[in-house]
Amino acid sequence: MISLSEVHDVALRFLGSHDQRYTANRRLIVQALAMADAPLTIDGVTETEPMLALSSTYRNLAVLEEAGVVHRIVTSDDHARFELTEDVTGAHHHHLVCTDCGLVLDVTLPDELEDLLHQSLEAAAKENSFAGAHHRIDLIGLCQSCKP
Amino acid sequence: MISLSEVHDVALRFLGSHDQRYTANRRLIVQALAMADAPLTIDGVTETEPMLALSSTYRNLAVLEEAGVVHRIVTSDDHARFELTEDVTGAHHHHLVCTDCGLVLDVTLPDELEDLLHQSLEAAAKENSFAGAHHRIDLIGLCQSCKP
DNA sequence: GAAGATTTCGAGACTCATTCTCGCTTGCCC
DNA sequence: GGGCAAGCGAGAATGAGTCTCGAAATCTTC
């Protein structure tokens, strides 16, 4: 597990290479995401750090996303969720998504499987003239509290 | 490839078991989705079948989704897209998603890979007390027309 | 370290995809 | 064929997310 100060270092570097400052607000957002054990909604972020204004949080999350520090997760639930990117945390992972409450949990898969997948997807991308950046796997189901 | 009339048969059955009628409008929507070679946005559906009112299309897509006939795909793009479910088409597949224009294309993966994946995801679900229904794999990248 | 330039902040207005409302139409059942 | 439940559709309402713009913070240059 990567330390909080390392996360801040990476964020600073990423923002720097996009001509963006690492302001106090952005720091708070990154910290909130780093401490959370699951991707957070905007409300989740502002509840964790109540000093943050809603509009600034939206703006700064967009800046952080642009700089590759955070990643936006959109589910059928109508609040987007945010997490630090793999480039920041160093951990490739996927998601369990609850269709009922929208909860998102992180999971990792065996490396061999990831390799196989990567090869297949690469081939599929080439076949369809897609410039493939990365893949995303979600297991869609019901979380513990939403189970019947 | 499954025929259009088979698609309608399945849709009829699915709706029936949810105490829903298979009305002319719903038929048009299913037909539009069946003929399209990629998931359609709401606008895409109403453009294909201009007789459809917007509000009715939204309502009927919700009904069809509830009945398991269509599936909603949400990307960062701010129009949801719809396609027939695998239960209707009989074809398990995944998506290439363009981060720029939101285009979604269908791809299939080798069966062995799907099997491996299924096992791993099943295990991950159990570990997190998730009742897993199905998985979703997206390759995120840039489509031919959005490539730099 | 002060003046000016530039960036960020935040409260509220605004946008627009989606959902809701409600009177009208359709079609099913006896 | 009358009654009634379901579906229809135009427009209003909702609300997540974006934009605006004056104020505050931060950087730059001397």
Side-chain angles (χ1 to χ4, degrees), chain B residues 2-111:
Chain B
I2 194 171
S3 78
L4 186 55
S5 72
E6 286 176 289
V7 168
H8 283 311
D9 285 350
V10 178
L12 177 60
R13 220 172 51 239
F14 276 35
L15 283 168
S17 67
H18 281 76
D19 290 319
Q20 293 284 350
R21 299 180 189 159
Y22 196 26
T23 65
N25 275 357
R26 292 173 189 171
R27 212 168 249 281
L28 284 178
I29 292 173
V30 167
Q31 180 169 312
L33 295 178
M35 313 280 282
D37 55 352
L40 292 179
T41 59
I42 291 263
D43 288 351
V45 174
T46 55
E47 276 162 26
T48 310
E49 299 292 347
M51 322 227 31
L52 294 169
L54 196 58
S55 58
S56 301
T57 305
Y58 273 110
R59 179 164 12 79
N60 283 323
L61 278 168
V63 171
L64 290 166
E65 188 184 15
E66 178 66 29
V69 178
V70 311
H71 173 228
R72 180 193 303 250
I73 303 165
V74 189
T75 65
S76 314
D77 183 34
D78 55 8
H79 286 68
R81 285 160 194 265
F82 294 85
E83 66 179 359
L84 298 176
T85 59
E86 298 176 353
D87 295 334
V88 175
T89 62
H92 181 64
H93 69 274
H94 298 291
H95 294 128
L96 300 174
V97 179
C98 177
T99 47
D100 207 42
C101 68
L103 177 73
V104 178
L105 295 180
D106 294 347
V107 288
T108 55
L109 296 178
D111 283 348

Side-chain angles (χ1 to χ4, degrees), chain A residues 20-21 23 25 55-56 59-60:
Chain A
Q20 293 284 351
R21 300 180 189 158
T23 64
N25 276 356
S55 59
S56 301
R59 179 166 8 80
N60 283 323

